[in-house]
Amino acid sequence: METKQSMDYIIKGPGGTTKPIAPKLITVNPLNIIIESNSGQIDKTLELKNIYPCRIAFRVRTNGPTRYTVCPSKGFLSNGEKVAIQITLIDGTKYQSNHQFIVQAMPSPGDFADRKFIWKQPNFLGIFTNTRVKTMRPAQSLPKSNPKSPAKVSTPTDSGMSSPVASSESLVTPSVPSWSKSPSSPIDHGKFAENINDLSVQVKKAIDEKNTRTSEMVSVVNQIKAVEVDLDRQAQLVNELSERVKRGEIQYSNLVMHERSLRVELGRLKNNEAESIGQ
């Protein structure tokens, strides 16, 4: 009779001895996030999939917690289940090339519902994985004066990793447009000066409105995080109440059985007493 495969994936080594290997719990796609040049909000999506035979817990961490929002940042996945993680760079001008994410995963009991408290529990199986997700700017092509040299462009492969052709030297930030540089001599805008002033005022208003919207979005994100904390707390309370109900049901069953045994004993005593009186 075949025995069920254990959770730590014990396999036979070349010499016939057993040795544990670290199982792969989760797949992350993509492993490189392309951040386009943008002064506004930038939204990206990570897809996580549980490829482990059992239920797992996951969480997504970043070294730029004030720059990004991640939703959901924690959760559980059953075998074969997928989840889309929404990653938002609040302001594209605040992007830095060292921004990255870590997707952590570990096996989770099937009845555990607290997404945060489980990461404070001891990991008895010792199975834990870290998957690094990097960010980068899209590569730029070479100048037209040198058409023979191909441009180094990072093209993602099927596995989500970037092509070896793309190196850190090819991931350059966009150059400043020539019209934004300070000219050597002042430019006379002539009849367009009034229109330029009006447009400048409109741009300033748009920037102020954008800053206001950004502040509102950050406030909403903080409210969402507070709601998540409250949900986790309520889930923990529900678990505690469920345990109390189970204990109460067990106590009630014990009392019912005790009552029945007392009734049987009482009936037996009455019968004995009646027989003794009859004699």
PDB file of all heavy atoms in Angstrom, residues 25-52:
ATOM      1  N   LEU A  25       6.692  26.934  -3.313  1.00  0.00           N
ATOM      2  CA  LEU A  25       5.334  27.138  -2.820  1.00  0.00           C
ATOM      3  C   LEU A  25       4.478  27.962  -3.762  1.00  0.00           C
ATOM      4  O   LEU A  25       3.274  27.737  -3.871  1.00  0.00           O
ATOM      5  CB  LEU A  25       5.377  27.839  -1.455  1.00  0.00           C
ATOM      6  CG  LEU A  25       6.214  27.178  -0.356  1.00  0.00           C
ATOM      7  CD1 LEU A  25       6.111  27.985   0.921  1.00  0.00           C
ATOM      8  CD2 LEU A  25       5.784  25.749  -0.129  1.00  0.00           C
ATOM      9  N   ILE A  26       5.097  28.929  -4.468  1.00  0.00           N
ATOM     10  CA  ILE A  26       4.303  29.931  -5.162  1.00  0.00           C
ATOM     11  C   ILE A  26       5.040  30.395  -6.408  1.00  0.00           C
ATOM     12  O   ILE A  26       6.274  30.371  -6.461  1.00  0.00           O
ATOM     13  CB  ILE A  26       4.030  31.129  -4.208  1.00  0.00           C
ATOM     14  CG1 ILE A  26       2.923  32.031  -4.743  1.00  0.00           C
ATOM     15  CG2 ILE A  26       5.290  31.924  -3.923  1.00  0.00           C
ATOM     16  CD1 ILE A  26       2.467  33.079  -3.740  1.00  0.00           C
ATOM     17  N   THR A  27       4.290  30.780  -7.431  1.00  0.00           N
ATOM     18  CA  THR A  27       4.875  31.407  -8.619  1.00  0.00           C
ATOM     19  C   THR A  27       4.460  32.870  -8.650  1.00  0.00           C
ATOM     20  O   THR A  27       3.332  33.216  -8.273  1.00  0.00           O
ATOM     21  CB  THR A  27       4.419  30.711  -9.907  1.00  0.00           C
ATOM     22  OG1 THR A  27       2.985  30.787 -10.014  1.00  0.00           O
ATOM     23  CG2 THR A  27       4.860  29.261  -9.928  1.00  0.00           C
ATOM     24  N   VAL A  28       5.384  33.716  -9.097  1.00  0.00           N
ATOM     25  CA  VAL A  28       5.156  35.157  -9.161  1.00  0.00           C
ATOM     26  C   VAL A  28       5.413  35.605 -10.590  1.00  0.00           C
ATOM     27  O   VAL A  28       6.454  35.304 -11.177  1.00  0.00           O
ATOM     28  CB  VAL A  28       6.080  35.912  -8.186  1.00  0.00           C
ATOM     29  CG1 VAL A  28       5.797  37.407  -8.242  1.00  0.00           C
ATOM     30  CG2 VAL A  28       5.909  35.394  -6.773  1.00  0.00           C
ATOM     31  N   ASN A  29       4.490  36.339 -11.160  1.00  0.00           N
ATOM     32  CA  ASN A  29       4.621  36.819 -12.531  1.00  0.00           C
ATOM     33  C   ASN A  29       4.066  38.239 -12.645  1.00  0.00           C
ATOM     34  O   ASN A  29       2.929  38.484 -12.250  1.00  0.00           O
ATOM     35  CB  ASN A  29       3.875  35.885 -13.491  1.00  0.00           C
ATOM     36  CG  ASN A  29       4.129  36.236 -14.942  1.00  0.00           C
ATOM     37  OD1 ASN A  29       5.238  36.546 -15.325  1.00  0.00           O
ATOM     38  ND2 ASN A  29       3.074  36.207 -15.736  1.00  0.00           N
ATOM     39  N   PRO A  30       4.895  39.191 -13.134  1.00  0.00           N
ATOM     40  CA  PRO A  30       6.275  39.050 -13.599  1.00  0.00           C
ATOM     41  C   PRO A  30       7.262  39.226 -12.452  1.00  0.00           C
ATOM     42  O   PRO A  30       6.873  39.660 -11.365  1.00  0.00           O
ATOM     43  CB  PRO A  30       6.406  40.198 -14.595  1.00  0.00           C
ATOM     44  CG  PRO A  30       5.517  41.260 -14.030  1.00  0.00           C
ATOM     45  CD  PRO A  30       4.355  40.543 -13.401  1.00  0.00           C
ATOM     46  N   LEU A  31       8.536  38.918 -12.726  1.00  0.00           N
ATOM     47  CA  LEU A  31       9.590  39.118 -11.744  1.00  0.00           C
ATOM     48  C   LEU A  31      10.296  40.453 -11.932  1.00  0.00           C
ATOM     49  O   LEU A  31      11.103  40.841 -11.101  1.00  0.00           O
ATOM     50  CB  LEU A  31      10.616  37.976 -11.820  1.00  0.00           C
ATOM     51  CG  LEU A  31      10.079  36.596 -11.427  1.00  0.00           C
ATOM     52  CD1 LEU A  31      11.151  35.548 -11.619  1.00  0.00           C
ATOM     53  CD2 LEU A  31       9.580  36.589  -9.996  1.00  0.00           C
ATOM     54  N   ASN A  32      10.021  41.140 -13.039  1.00  0.00           N
ATOM     55  CA  ASN A  32      10.540  42.484 -13.296  1.00  0.00           C
ATOM     56  C   ASN A  32       9.367  43.393 -13.625  1.00  0.00           C
ATOM     57  O   ASN A  32       8.594  43.098 -14.544  1.00  0.00           O
ATOM     58  CB  ASN A  32      11.534  42.482 -14.457  1.00  0.00           C
ATOM     59  CG  ASN A  32      12.838  41.797 -14.088  1.00  0.00           C
ATOM     60  OD1 ASN A  32      13.268  41.861 -12.948  1.00  0.00           O
ATOM     61  ND2 ASN A  32      13.450  41.120 -15.041  1.00  0.00           N
ATOM     62  N   ILE A  33       9.224  44.482 -12.887  1.00  0.00           N
ATOM     63  CA  ILE A  33       8.144  45.436 -13.128  1.00  0.00           C
ATOM     64  C   ILE A  33       8.724  46.635 -13.869  1.00  0.00           C
ATOM     65  O   ILE A  33       9.673  47.274 -13.397  1.00  0.00           O
ATOM     66  CB  ILE A  33       7.495  45.890 -11.810  1.00  0.00           C
ATOM     67  CG1 ILE A  33       6.882  44.683 -11.089  1.00  0.00           C
ATOM     68  CG2 ILE A  33       6.428  46.942 -12.072  1.00  0.00           C
ATOM     69  CD1 ILE A  33       6.248  45.043  -9.763  1.00  0.00           C
ATOM     70  N   ILE A  34       8.169  46.944 -15.042  1.00  0.00           N
ATOM     71  CA  ILE A  34       8.624  48.075 -15.836  1.00  0.00           C
ATOM     72  C   ILE A  34       7.857  49.321 -15.388  1.00  0.00           C
ATOM     73  O   ILE A  34       6.630  49.371 -15.458  1.00  0.00           O
ATOM     74  CB  ILE A  34       8.405  47.829 -17.337  1.00  0.00           C
ATOM     75  CG1 ILE A  34       9.041  46.505 -17.767  1.00  0.00           C
ATOM     76  CG2 ILE A  34       8.966  48.980 -18.157  1.00  0.00           C
ATOM     77  CD1 ILE A  34      10.531  46.451 -17.554  1.00  0.00           C
ATOM     78  N   ILE A  35       8.579  50.328 -14.925  1.00  0.00           N
ATOM     79  CA  ILE A  35       7.981  51.586 -14.469  1.00  0.00           C
ATOM     80  C   ILE A  35       8.223  52.639 -15.544  1.00  0.00           C
ATOM     81  O   ILE A  35       9.358  53.100 -15.741  1.00  0.00           O
ATOM     82  CB  ILE A  35       8.579  52.046 -13.128  1.00  0.00           C
ATOM     83  CG1 ILE A  35       8.419  50.939 -12.066  1.00  0.00           C
ATOM     84  CG2 ILE A  35       7.930  53.340 -12.663  1.00  0.00           C
ATOM     85  CD1 ILE A  35       6.995  50.647 -11.684  1.00  0.00           C
ATOM     86  N   GLU A  36       7.177  53.015 -16.265  1.00  0.00           N
ATOM     87  CA  GLU A  36       7.323  54.015 -17.306  1.00  0.00           C
ATOM     88  C   GLU A  36       7.529  55.403 -16.715  1.00  0.00           C
ATOM     89  O   GLU A  36       7.201  55.656 -15.564  1.00  0.00           O
ATOM     90  CB  GLU A  36       6.084  54.030 -18.223  1.00  0.00           C
ATOM     91  CG  GLU A  36       5.816  52.734 -18.950  1.00  0.00           C
ATOM     92  CD  GLU A  36       5.053  51.728 -18.105  1.00  0.00           C
ATOM     93  OE1 GLU A  36       4.706  52.086 -16.959  1.00  0.00           O
ATOM     94  OE2 GLU A  36       4.834  50.595 -18.582  1.00  0.00           O
ATOM     95  N   SER A  37       8.106  56.291 -17.536  1.00  0.00           N
ATOM     96  CA  SER A  37       8.305  57.682 -17.108  1.00  0.00           C
ATOM     97  C   SER A  37       6.949  58.370 -17.074  1.00  0.00           C
ATOM     98  O   SER A  37       6.298  58.542 -18.101  1.00  0.00           O
ATOM     99  CB  SER A  37       9.247  58.399 -18.065  1.00  0.00           C
ATOM    100  OG  SER A  37      10.475  57.732 -18.144  1.00  0.00           O
ATOM    101  N   ASN A  38       6.528  58.732 -15.884  1.00  0.00           N
ATOM    102  CA  ASN A  38       5.206  59.326 -15.724  1.00  0.00           C
ATOM    103  C   ASN A  38       5.203  60.154 -14.442  1.00  0.00           C
ATOM    104  O   ASN A  38       5.769  59.753 -13.432  1.00  0.00           O
ATOM    105  CB  ASN A  38       4.136  58.219 -15.645  1.00  0.00           C
ATOM    106  CG  ASN A  38       2.732  58.768 -15.773  1.00  0.00           C
ATOM    107  OD1 ASN A  38       2.508  59.970 -15.640  1.00  0.00           O
ATOM    108  ND2 ASN A  38       1.776  57.901 -16.029  1.00  0.00           N
ATOM    109  N   SER A  39       4.573  61.313 -14.518  1.00  0.00           N
ATOM    110  CA  SER A  39       4.531  62.181 -13.335  1.00  0.00           C
ATOM    111  C   SER A  39       3.312  61.903 -12.474  1.00  0.00           C
ATOM    112  O   SER A  39       3.152  62.484 -11.414  1.00  0.00           O
ATOM    113  CB  SER A  39       4.514  63.654 -13.764  1.00  0.00           C
ATOM    114  OG  SER A  39       3.389  63.918 -14.586  1.00  0.00           O
ATOM    115  N   GLY A  40       2.448  61.014 -12.929  1.00  0.00           N
ATOM    116  CA  GLY A  40       1.235  60.720 -12.167  1.00  0.00           C
ATOM    117  C   GLY A  40       1.280  59.351 -11.524  1.00  0.00           C
ATOM    118  O   GLY A  40       2.341  58.780 -11.268  1.00  0.00           O
ATOM    119  N   GLN A  41       0.105  58.793 -11.288  1.00  0.00           N
ATOM    120  CA  GLN A  41      -0.018  57.478 -10.655  1.00  0.00           C
ATOM    121  C   GLN A  41       0.282  56.375 -11.670  1.00  0.00           C
ATOM    122  O   GLN A  41      -0.132  56.447 -12.823  1.00  0.00           O
ATOM    123  CB  GLN A  41      -1.428  57.330 -10.091  1.00  0.00           C
ATOM    124  CG  GLN A  41      -1.734  55.978  -9.483  1.00  0.00           C
ATOM    125  CD  GLN A  41      -3.129  55.922  -8.914  1.00  0.00           C
ATOM    126  OE1 GLN A  41      -3.548  56.780  -8.156  1.00  0.00           O
ATOM    127  NE2 GLN A  41      -3.880  54.897  -9.299  1.00  0.00           N
ATOM    128  N   ILE A  42       0.990  55.341 -11.216  1.00  0.00           N
ATOM    129  CA  ILE A  42       1.337  54.211 -12.079  1.00  0.00           C
ATOM    130  C   ILE A  42       0.834  52.930 -11.419  1.00  0.00           C
ATOM    131  O   ILE A  42       1.181  52.643 -10.280  1.00  0.00           O
ATOM    132  CB  ILE A  42       2.853  54.139 -12.317  1.00  0.00           C
ATOM    133  CG1 ILE A  42       3.351  55.421 -13.002  1.00  0.00           C
ATOM    134  CG2 ILE A  42       3.210  52.926 -13.165  1.00  0.00           C
ATOM    135  CD1 ILE A  42       4.848  55.478 -13.194  1.00  0.00           C
ATOM    136  N   ASP A  43       0.015  52.171 -12.150  1.00  0.00           N
ATOM    137  CA  ASP A  43      -0.572  50.935 -11.625  1.00  0.00           C
ATOM    138  C   ASP A  43       0.051  49.727 -12.312  1.00  0.00           C
ATOM    139  O   ASP A  43       0.187  49.699 -13.538  1.00  0.00           O
ATOM    140  CB  ASP A  43      -2.087  50.915 -11.842  1.00  0.00           C
ATOM    141  CG  ASP A  43      -2.799  52.003 -11.058  1.00  0.00           C
ATOM    142  OD1 ASP A  43      -2.413  52.224  -9.899  1.00  0.00           O
ATOM    143  OD2 ASP A  43      -3.723  52.626 -11.601  1.00  0.00           O
ATOM    144  N   LYS A  44       0.414  48.729 -11.520  1.00  0.00           N
ATOM    145  CA  LYS A  44       0.967  47.474 -12.030  1.00  0.00           C
ATOM    146  C   LYS A  44       0.277  46.310 -11.317  1.00  0.00           C
ATOM    147  O   LYS A  44      -0.328  46.490 -10.246  1.00  0.00           O
ATOM    148  CB  LYS A  44       2.481  47.404 -11.813  1.00  0.00           C
ATOM    149  CG  LYS A  44       3.265  48.461 -12.593  1.00  0.00           C
ATOM    150  CD  LYS A  44       3.157  48.226 -14.080  1.00  0.00           C
ATOM    151  CE  LYS A  44       3.855  49.309 -14.867  1.00  0.00           C
ATOM    152  NZ  LYS A  44       3.778  49.076 -16.317  1.00  0.00           N
ATOM    153  N   THR A  45       0.396  45.115 -11.897  1.00  0.00           N
ATOM    154  CA  THR A  45      -0.262  43.939 -11.330  1.00  0.00           C
ATOM    155  C   THR A  45       0.717  42.779 -11.233  1.00  0.00           C
ATOM    156  O   THR A  45       1.466  42.518 -12.183  1.00  0.00           O
ATOM    157  CB  THR A  45      -1.468  43.515 -12.188  1.00  0.00           C
ATOM    158  OG1 THR A  45      -2.388  44.603 -12.280  1.00  0.00           O
ATOM    159  CG2 THR A  45      -2.178  42.317 -11.563  1.00  0.00           C
ATOM    160  N   LEU A  46       0.732  42.123 -10.077  1.00  0.00           N
ATOM    161  CA  LEU A  46       1.480  40.879  -9.874  1.00  0.00           C
ATOM    162  C   LEU A  46       0.489  39.729  -9.750  1.00  0.00           C
ATOM    163  O   LEU A  46      -0.517  39.854  -9.040  1.00  0.00           O
ATOM    164  CB  LEU A  46       2.318  40.946  -8.596  1.00  0.00           C
ATOM    165  CG  LEU A  46       3.676  41.649  -8.624  1.00  0.00           C
ATOM    166  CD1 LEU A  46       4.327  41.551  -7.259  1.00  0.00           C
ATOM    167  CD2 LEU A  46       4.579  41.063  -9.690  1.00  0.00           C
ATOM    168  N   GLU A  47       0.781  38.621 -10.417  1.00  0.00           N
ATOM    169  CA  GLU A  47      -0.071  37.439 -10.287  1.00  0.00           C
ATOM    170  C   GLU A  47       0.653  36.379  -9.462  1.00  0.00           C
ATOM    171  O   GLU A  47       1.757  35.969  -9.804  1.00  0.00           O
ATOM    172  CB  GLU A  47      -0.427  36.871 -11.664  1.00  0.00           C
ATOM    173  CG  GLU A  47      -1.386  35.684 -11.558  1.00  0.00           C
ATOM    174  CD  GLU A  47      -1.678  35.044 -12.899  1.00  0.00           C
ATOM    175  OE1 GLU A  47      -0.872  34.198 -13.342  1.00  0.00           O
ATOM    176  OE2 GLU A  47      -2.710  35.395 -13.503  1.00  0.00           O
ATOM    177  N   LEU A  48       0.025  35.950  -8.375  1.00  0.00           N
ATOM    178  CA  LEU A  48       0.563  34.902  -7.517  1.00  0.00           C
ATOM    179  C   LEU A  48      -0.284  33.647  -7.680  1.00  0.00           C
ATOM    180  O   LEU A  48      -1.511  33.722  -7.783  1.00  0.00           O
ATOM    181  CB  LEU A  48       0.550  35.340  -6.047  1.00  0.00           C
ATOM    182  CG  LEU A  48       1.136  36.718  -5.711  1.00  0.00           C
ATOM    183  CD1 LEU A  48       1.126  36.927  -4.207  1.00  0.00           C
ATOM    184  CD2 LEU A  48       2.526  36.882  -6.266  1.00  0.00           C
ATOM    185  N   LYS A  49       0.374  32.485  -7.689  1.00  0.00           N
ATOM    186  CA  LYS A  49      -0.338  31.205  -7.797  1.00  0.00           C
ATOM    187  C   LYS A  49       0.281  30.197  -6.839  1.00  0.00           C
ATOM    188  O   LYS A  49       1.501  30.047  -6.791  1.00  0.00           O
ATOM    189  CB  LYS A  49      -0.276  30.672  -9.230  1.00  0.00           C
ATOM    190  CG  LYS A  49      -1.019  29.345  -9.397  1.00  0.00           C
ATOM    191  CD  LYS A  49      -0.937  28.840 -10.816  1.00  0.00           C
ATOM    192  CE  LYS A  49      -1.655  27.502 -10.964  1.00  0.00           C
ATOM    193  NZ  LYS A  49      -1.573  26.960 -12.336  1.00  0.00           N
ATOM    194  N   ASN A  50      -0.568  29.519  -6.085  1.00  0.00           N
ATOM    195  CA  ASN A  50      -0.122  28.481  -5.157  1.00  0.00           C
ATOM    196  C   ASN A  50       0.084  27.180  -5.933  1.00  0.00           C
ATOM    197  O   ASN A  50      -0.858  26.618  -6.486  1.00  0.00           O
ATOM    198  CB  ASN A  50      -1.151  28.284  -4.052  1.00  0.00           C
ATOM    199  CG  ASN A  50      -0.755  27.174  -3.095  1.00  0.00           C
ATOM    200  OD1 ASN A  50       0.366  26.679  -3.122  1.00  0.00           O
ATOM    201  ND2 ASN A  50      -1.680  26.775  -2.234  1.00  0.00           N
ATOM    202  N   ILE A  51       1.339  26.680  -5.977  1.00  0.00           N
ATOM    203  CA  ILE A  51       1.642  25.416  -6.644  1.00  0.00           C
ATOM    204  C   ILE A  51       2.021  24.342  -5.620  1.00  0.00           C
ATOM    205  O   ILE A  51       2.577  23.312  -5.986  1.00  0.00           O
ATOM    206  CB  ILE A  51       2.764  25.601  -7.682  1.00  0.00           C
ATOM    207  CG1 ILE A  51       4.039  26.150  -7.002  1.00  0.00           C
ATOM    208  CG2 ILE A  51       2.328  26.505  -8.799  1.00  0.00           C
ATOM    209  CD1 ILE A  51       5.226  26.225  -7.937  1.00  0.00           C
ATOM    210  N   TYR A  52       1.732  24.615  -4.348  1.00  0.00           N
ATOM    211  CA  TYR A  52       2.035  23.673  -3.269  1.00  0.00           C
ATOM    212  C   TYR A  52       0.794  22.830  -2.988  1.00  0.00           C
ATOM    213  O   TYR A  52      -0.340  23.311  -3.150  1.00  0.00           O
ATOM    214  CB  TYR A  52       2.436  24.465  -2.022  1.00  0.00           C
ATOM    215  CG  TYR A  52       3.038  23.651  -0.911  1.00  0.00           C
ATOM    216  CD1 TYR A  52       4.211  22.938  -1.106  1.00  0.00           C
ATOM    217  CD2 TYR A  52       2.438  23.608   0.340  1.00  0.00           C
ATOM    218  CE1 TYR A  52       4.771  22.205  -0.081  1.00  0.00           C
ATOM    219  CE2 TYR A  52       2.996  22.883   1.380  1.00  0.00           C
ATOM    220  CZ  TYR A  52       4.162  22.184   1.154  1.00  0.00           C
ATOM    221  OH  TYR A  52       4.718  21.456   2.171  1.00  0.00           O
TER     222      TYR A  52
END
